[in-house]
Amino acid sequence: AACAVAFVPRARWLAPSPKLAAGPPVSGAAAARVDDSVFVFGGLDPDRTVTNALWRFSDADGWEEFQAKSSDDARPCQRMYTAAFAQGGELVIAGGWDPGAKGSGGTFLDDAWTIDVRASAPTWRRVEGGLPGGPVSRHVACALDDHSAVLHSYRSDGHVLVYDSRTRAFHEQRTMGEGPDRIGMHAAAMLDGPTLVVYGGGDKDTTTGFSPDAWALKCRGERWQWTRLRNDGASRPPALGSACAAPVDGESLVIFGGAEMRGAYDGGQGLLARAEAWSLTLGGDNGDIAHWRCLCPDGLEGGAAAGPHTPSARVAATLTPLPSADSSQTHQLLLHGGWRPSDAHTFQEGQVLSLL
């Protein structure tokens, strides 16, 4: 469905700035915030090679290359479609895909690594045991609390993976109820409860298109409970794959970009990339209703006109909360990178979505 509401003044894209334009040009990277800095790891370069460089962004210093690309075996290998989350002062990355030589099929990865970015000499450490169940790619991971995080992938059938920073290992956590069925390329954020919310994505057979559904996983008790969220009857985003998401205030998340499937994949030519920003707020007595709101339309498909400074449509970008700059209720999200299927352009410049 087209985004059919007028541009919402209280959610606006800020004008691009030189400080945001000097980041890494990557798609399929992973990002997480540690303290006042956003870290971006890996991804696919414009020359279609993967990287394992680690970049840091802060409002004070802008972008800097925290660690350059390297073939050192003491570091995670070059990859895309990995997932990242923060645990205290550590950044954790897990899984992903190294495409390798053209036509080789590449290597799907089941390893995980941590790095203490606060240390005077930050060093990567491999997580012993890696990811139970095998390699994953195009998956999602979100911090659950100060010492654990949740990973969901196409392998998550009746369980999810949980990382415990106290044991420095992943384990399987049983789940109950009807959950998303073996999907990847979905977007996710952790809300209060704690509740993991996932949206969109699809299975390995992209000819079936992407899912329009949102799901909530209540992460408490011995068996965590999945719920397919019911739409409140208002407009909602189209079925999207490879969108990005970020939590806002514990009760809502924002989803940006992604693409609709409009035919055979054909190297991305069958994708219609979008540039809309939507919010999802949980409602209902059981938190099983999705209240969608179109924050910023993109002007496509007969919808409302795009607002000023709307970013270009893209897939496989990152969206990360920035630290609050003052005592106001303003929330800011950093959009970075991504890929435009129509001409294979990889984005370098970042933009900020401001929410009041």
Side-chain angles (χ1 to χ4, degrees):
C3 188
V5 299
F7 180 77
V8 181
R10 295 176 65 83
R12 62 189 181 94
W13 289 102
L14 303 185
S17 70
K19 180 185 294 187
L20 291 169
V26 287
S27 65
R33 196 183 93 202
V34 178
D35 300 328
D36 291 340
S37 298
V38 173
F39 289 86
V40 174
F41 172 82
L44 190 67
D45 291 331
D47 63 3
R48 316 309 291 166
T49 60
V50 285
T51 182
N52 62 351
L54 179 63
W55 286 73
R56 170 183 176 269
F57 174 83
S58 69
D59 188 61
D61 302 322
W63 284 104
E64 64 171 338
E65 192 174 45
F66 196 77
Q67 289 185 338
K69 185 175 180 177
S70 171
S71 57
D72 187 346
D73 289 341
R75 289 175 50 181
C77 70
Q78 299 160 24
R79 66 189 69 195
M80 61 189 297
Y81 299 144
T82 185
F85 54 89
Q87 292 282 274
E90 289 192 328
L91 178 73
V92 186
I93 66 106
W97 179 50
D98 177 1
K102 187 174 182 179
S104 68
T107 303
F108 292 93
L109 302 165
D110 63 357
D111 59 347
W113 298 73
T114 70
I115 182 171
D116 184 352
V117 295
R118 296 173 180 165
S120 57
T123 302
W124 287 98
R125 296 176 60 186
R126 184 187 289 268
V127 173
E128 187 173 352
L131 300 178
V136 294
S137 175
R138 296 178 172 92
H139 51 296
V140 295
C142 301
L144 178 62
D145 51 35
D146 292 339
H147 57 77
S148 59
V150 181
L151 185 153
H152 182 271
S153 75
Y154 69 91
R155 293 186 184 277
S156 298
D157 184 13
H159 71 276
V160 291
L161 296 184
V162 173
Y163 175 76
D164 190 328
S165 62
R166 297 165 296 188
T167 61
R168 307 187 67 83
F170 283 88
H171 66 270
E172 291 187 355
Q173 166 65 49
R174 295 281 300 276
T175 60
M176 299 176 59
E178 181 191 8
D181 185 21
R182 297 185 179 275
I183 61 170
M185 296 178 284
H186 43 324
M190 187 67 69
L191 302 184
D192 289 346
T195 300
L196 178 72
V197 177
V198 302
Y199 173 73
D203 61 22
K204 291 183 177 181
D205 182 8
T206 54
T207 60
T208 62
F210 298 122
S211 169
D213 293 326
W215 306 80
L217 177 64
K218 294 182 178 179
C219 305
R220 55 181 180 267
E222 292 185 4
R223 290 192 178 183
W224 296 359
Q225 182 72 43
W226 278 110
T227 302
R228 185 202 296 260
L229 297 178
R230 296 180 290 125
N231 189 31
D232 63 3
S235 61
R236 67 177 186 178
L240 297 169
S242 295
C244 50
V248 178
D249 55 7
E251 298 180 354
S252 303
L253 60 91
V254 168
I255 290 173
F256 172 80
E260 300 176 62
M261 186 66 72
R262 294 294 183 90
Y265 179 73
D266 189 23
Q269 294 304 302
L271 299 175
L272 175 66
R274 304 304 301 261
E276 291 178 344
W278 291 78
S279 69
L280 185 158
T281 303
L282 296 181
D285 293 339
N286 298 314
D288 60 352
I289 297 177
H291 296 292
W292 287 104
R293 181 187 183 195
C294 186
L295 300 176
C296 301
D298 59 13
L300 300 177
E301 300 290 286
H309 312 307
T310 297
S312 297
R314 67 192 70 186
V315 301
T318 62
L319 191 66
T320 314
L322 292 171
S324 179
D326 51 44
S327 60
S328 71
Q329 297 301 307
T330 301
H331 300 273
Q332 293 190 333
L333 306 177
L334 173 63
L335 172 71
H336 186 74
W339 182 69
R340 187 167 55 210
S342 60
D343 61 359
H345 175 74
T346 300
F347 293 93
Q348 178 176 17
E349 63 280 1
Q351 278 187 250
V352 171
L353 179 64
S354 179
L355 301 149
L356 295 181

Coordinates of all heavy atoms in Angstrom, one line a residue, residues 130-134 136 140-142 149-153 155-156 159-163 170-173 175 224:
G130 N 31.0 -20.7 18.5 CA 30.3 -20.1 17.4 C 28.8 -20.1 17.5 O 28.3 -19.9 18.6
L131 N 28.1 -20.3 16.4 CA 26.6 -20.3 16.4 C 26.1 -21.7 16.4 O 26.2 -22.4 15.4 CB 26.1 -19.5 15.2 CG 26.6 -18.0 15.1 CD1 26.1 -17.4 13.8 CD2 26.1 -17.2 16.3
P132 N 25.4 -22.1 17.4 CA 24.7 -23.4 17.4 C 23.8 -23.6 16.2 O 23.0 -22.7 15.9 CB 24.0 -23.5 18.7 CG 24.7 -22.5 19.6 CD 25.1 -21.4 18.7
G133 N 23.8 -24.7 15.6 CA 22.9 -24.9 14.5 C 23.5 -24.7 13.1 O 23.0 -25.2 12.1
G134 N 24.6 -24.0 13.0 CA 25.3 -23.8 11.7 C 25.3 -22.4 11.2 O 24.8 -21.4 11.9
V136 N 24.7 -18.8 9.4 CA 23.5 -17.9 9.1 C 23.9 -16.7 8.3 O 25.1 -16.2 8.4 CB 22.7 -17.5 10.4 CG1 22.1 -18.7 11.0 CG2 23.6 -16.8 11.3
V140 N 19.0 -11.3 11.9 CA 19.0 -10.1 12.8 C 19.4 -10.4 14.2 O 19.3 -11.6 14.6 CB 17.5 -9.5 12.8 CG1 17.1 -9.0 11.4 CG2 16.5 -10.5 13.3
A141 N 19.9 -9.5 14.9 CA 20.3 -9.7 16.3 C 20.2 -8.3 17.0 O 20.5 -7.3 16.5 CB 21.8 -10.1 16.4
C142 N 19.6 -8.4 18.3 CA 19.4 -7.2 19.1 C 19.7 -7.5 20.5 O 19.5 -8.6 21.0 CB 17.9 -6.9 19.0 SG 17.2 -6.5 17.4
A149 N 21.7 -11.0 24.4 CA 21.2 -10.6 23.1 C 20.5 -11.7 22.4 O 20.8 -12.9 22.7 CB 22.3 -10.0 22.2
V150 N 19.6 -11.4 21.5 CA 18.8 -12.4 20.7 C 19.1 -12.4 19.3 O 19.2 -11.3 18.7 CB 17.3 -12.2 20.9 CG1 16.5 -13.2 20.2 CG2 16.9 -12.2 22.4
L151 N 19.3 -13.6 18.6 CA 19.6 -13.7 17.2 C 18.5 -14.5 16.6 O 18.2 -15.6 17.1 CB 21.0 -14.3 17.0 CG 21.5 -14.4 15.5 CD1 23.0 -14.4 15.5 CD2 21.0 -15.6 14.8
H152 N 17.9 -14.0 15.5 CA 16.9 -14.7 14.8 C 17.3 -14.9 13.3 O 17.7 -13.9 12.7 CB 15.5 -14.0 14.9 CG 14.4 -14.7 14.1 ND1 14.1 -14.6 12.8 CD2 13.5 -15.7 14.6 CE1 13.1 -15.3 12.5 NE2 12.8 -16.0 13.5
S153 N 17.1 -16.1 12.8 CA 17.5 -16.3 11.4 C 16.6 -17.3 10.8 O 15.6 -17.8 11.4 CB 18.9 -16.9 11.4 OG 18.9 -18.3 11.8
R155 N 17.1 -20.3 10.3 CA 17.2 -21.5 11.1 C 16.4 -21.5 12.4 O 16.3 -22.6 13.0 CB 18.7 -21.8 11.5 CG 19.6 -22.0 10.3 CD 21.0 -22.4 10.8 NE 22.0 -22.6 9.7 CZ 22.1 -23.7 9.0 NH1 21.4 -24.7 9.3 NH2 23.0 -23.7 8.0
S156 N 15.8 -20.4 12.7 CA 15.0 -20.3 14.0 C 13.7 -20.9 13.9 O 12.6 -20.2 13.7 CB 14.9 -18.8 14.4 OG 16.2 -18.2 14.6
H159 N 13.0 -22.0 18.1 CA 14.0 -21.5 19.0 C 14.6 -20.3 18.4 O 14.4 -20.0 17.2 CB 15.0 -22.5 19.3 CG 15.9 -22.8 18.1 ND1 15.6 -23.6 17.0 CD2 17.1 -22.2 17.7 CE1 16.6 -23.6 16.1 NE2 17.5 -22.8 16.5
V160 N 15.3 -19.5 19.2 CA 16.2 -18.4 18.8 C 17.5 -18.7 19.4 O 17.6 -19.5 20.3 CB 15.6 -17.0 19.1 CG1 14.4 -16.7 18.3 CG2 15.4 -16.9 20.6
L161 N 18.5 -18.0 19.0 CA 19.8 -18.0 19.7 C 19.9 -16.9 20.7 O 19.5 -15.7 20.4 CB 21.0 -18.0 18.7 CG 21.1 -19.2 17.7 CD1 22.3 -19.1 16.9 CD2 21.1 -20.5 18.5
V162 N 20.5 -17.1 21.8 CA 20.8 -16.1 22.8 C 22.2 -16.1 23.2 O 22.9 -17.1 23.4 CB 19.9 -16.4 24.1 CG1 20.3 -15.4 25.2 CG2 18.5 -16.2 23.8
Y163 N 22.8 -14.8 23.1 CA 24.2 -14.7 23.5 C 24.2 -14.2 25.0 O 23.5 -13.3 25.3 CB 24.9 -13.6 22.6 CG 26.3 -13.3 23.1 CD1 27.3 -14.2 22.8 CD2 26.6 -12.1 23.7 CE1 28.6 -13.9 23.2 CE2 27.9 -11.8 24.1 CZ 28.9 -12.7 23.9 OH 30.2 -12.5 24.3
F170 N 26.9 -18.5 22.8 CA 25.5 -18.6 22.3 C 24.8 -19.9 22.8 O 25.5 -20.9 22.9 CB 25.4 -18.5 20.8 CG 25.6 -17.1 20.3 CD1 26.9 -16.7 20.0 CD2 24.5 -16.3 20.0 CE1 27.1 -15.4 19.4 CE2 24.7 -15.0 19.5 CZ 26.0 -14.6 19.2
H171 N 23.5 -19.9 23.1 CA 22.8 -21.1 23.3 C 21.4 -21.0 22.7 O 20.9 -19.9 22.4 CB 22.7 -21.4 24.8 CG 21.9 -20.4 25.6 ND1 22.4 -19.3 26.1 CD2 20.5 -20.3 25.9 CE1 21.5 -18.5 26.7 NE2 20.3 -19.2 26.6
E172 N 20.7 -22.1 22.5 CA 19.4 -22.1 22.0 C 18.4 -21.8 23.1 O 18.5 -22.4 24.2 CB 19.1 -23.4 21.3 CG 19.9 -23.7 20.0 CD 19.4 -24.9 19.3 OE1 18.5 -25.6 19.8 OE2 19.9 -25.1 18.1
Q173 N 17.4 -21.0 22.7 CA 16.3 -20.7 23.6 C 15.0 -21.1 23.0 O 14.7 -20.7 21.8 CB 16.2 -19.2 23.9 CG 14.9 -18.7 24.6 CD 14.7 -19.2 26.0 OE1 15.6 -19.2 26.8 NE2 13.5 -19.8 26.2
T175 N 11.1 -21.5 21.9 CA 10.0 -20.5 21.7 C 8.7 -21.3 21.5 O 8.7 -22.4 21.0 CB 10.3 -19.6 20.5 OG1 10.4 -20.4 19.3 CG2 11.6 -18.8 20.7
W224 N 9.7 -18.7 25.4 CA 9.4 -17.4 24.9 C 8.2 -17.5 23.9 O 8.2 -18.5 23.1 CB 10.6 -16.7 24.3 CG 11.7 -16.4 25.3 CD1 11.6 -16.7 26.6 CD2 12.9 -15.8 25.0 NE1 12.8 -16.3 27.2 CE2 13.6 -15.8 26.2 CE3 13.5 -15.3 23.9 CZ2 14.9 -15.2 26.3 CZ3 14.8 -14.8 24.0 CH2 15.5 -14.7 25.2

